[in-house]
Amino acid sequence: MTILCVPYHLDDHLPAFRLPLPAGAVTVHPDLPEADRWVRMAALHEEVADRVADQVWVGRVPTVLSGDCMVALGTAAGVQRAGVDPAVVWFDAHGDVQTMETSASGYEGGIPLRVLAGYRPDPATDRLGLRDIAEERLLLVDGRDLDPPEEEYLRTSAVRRSKVTDIEPGTLPEGPLLLHVDLDVIDAAEAPGLLFPTPGGPRTGEVLSAVRTILGTGRVVALSVGCTWHADEELDAEGGVRSRLLTELLASVS
């Protein structure tokens, strides 16, 4: 298992992003240009893509840990650069299928799954060379908190949907898989300190069981994990609730 730690939320470095990383983990912390947020994110995701491609080329399955879901764009681009055409399984409490034109909040982190389907808010994606992934090869798992534009898009698109508890090998898209897990998919009562807590979600054990089912297919070529939470020394310290969660998740990969 190769772990890349990307301590960023969008283009903001997170110096307090402390995770239970095993020996050999690599932290990705490039010098970002003095520019607007989109250009800075593009530079960050380019670095991630290069590192992911290097790992996939030699047959390793990289695990990318970050403070948001946008970094998954770099992970996807890296997998594609290595000559692999992945389908995507996307665990998230949210849809992540906004556009900057439909988003009421204007939050850039609400668009990555829509970008994978072909939405292009350049310059965030122009330098990545990211290729569109057909909607029917995208599987949104959970997505219980949707804005009206997201509901409309999902109703009319070919993006597939599933509950966490319904995940089994037969529900997955065919071919190699990029697996993305935003940890806010877990019920907020069991994952404290989330940036965007959403009640009514699956339990931690249910999410971990579904992730193990997907990993057990042997088709996952890269794993992206969004640790979308506020820094908290107590929760993130060894033995803390979030540290235990990540340790158990990483154990599923190794």
Side-chain angles (χ1 to χ4, degrees):
M1 174 176 58
T2 300
I3 293 182
L4 303 176
C5 178
V6 188
Y8 286 83
H9 177 256
L10 303 178
D11 67 326
D12 295 324
H13 181 233
L14 304 175
F17 193 66
R18 298 185 177 91
L19 304 174
L21 301 175
V26 175
T27 296
V28 179
H29 184 23
D31 291 327
L32 300 184
E34 293 294 331
D36 68 24
R37 168 158 284 173
W38 293 102
V39 173
R40 287 167 58 82
M41 284 194 294
L44 176 62
H45 300 162
E46 174 79 6
E47 179 75 11
V48 172
D50 283 344
R51 292 175 180 266
V52 167
D54 288 344
Q55 297 300 315
V56 176
W57 268 116
V58 296
R60 298 193 181 104
V61 178
T63 296
V64 181
L65 306 178
S66 71
D68 67 23
C69 294
M70 289 292 281
V71 172
L73 301 180
T75 305
V79 171
Q80 291 177 341
R81 290 180 189 184
V84 179
D85 181 22
V88 175
V89 181
W90 193 274
F91 282 68
D92 206 305
H94 309 93
D96 286 358
V97 290
Q98 288 283 12
T99 69
M100 296 311 299
E101 294 74 29
T102 63
S103 173
S105 67
Y107 175 58
E108 297 90 343
I111 68 171
L113 188 57
R114 188 71 170 267
V115 171
L116 293 177
Y119 172 62
R120 289 292 179 266
D122 294 334
T125 56
D126 56 357
R127 67 188 287 176
L128 286 177
L130 191 65
R131 298 192 298 277
D132 296 357
I133 300 174
E135 289 178 339
E136 61 269 19
R137 301 185 66 226
L138 305 176
L139 174 63
L140 173 61
V141 183
D142 192 62
R144 62 187 181 273
D145 185 7
L146 301 172
D147 290 340
E150 293 183 297
E151 292 178 342
E152 175 63 21
Y153 169 71
L154 291 171
R155 185 164 49 246
T156 58
S157 78
V159 174
R160 300 160 61 185
R161 299 189 64 185
S162 174
K163 295 180 179 178
V164 168
T165 51
D166 289 341
I167 288 293
E168 56 185 38
T171 66
L172 303 175
E174 295 182 355
L177 300 173
L178 166 59
L179 173 59
H180 174 75
V181 182
D182 184 341
L183 292 174
D184 71 13
V185 70
I186 297 170
D187 190 275
E190 295 193 16
L194 293 167
L195 294 177
F196 306 105
T198 307
R203 300 180 65 85
T204 301
E206 292 172 327
V207 171
L208 291 174
S209 177
V211 167
R212 292 189 191 104
T213 294
I214 297 169
L215 292 168
T217 65
R219 296 196 283 125
V220 174
V221 292
L223 170 63
S224 171
V225 181
C227 304
T228 49
W229 50 43
H230 298 282
D232 187 302
E233 291 186 6
E234 182 177 346
L235 297 173
D236 296 332
E238 184 176 355
V241 60
R242 298 194 314 208
S243 179
R244 294 198 305 270
L245 168 60
L246 270 176
T247 297
E248 190 167 355
L249 177 62
L250 295 177
S252 301
V253 185
S254 59

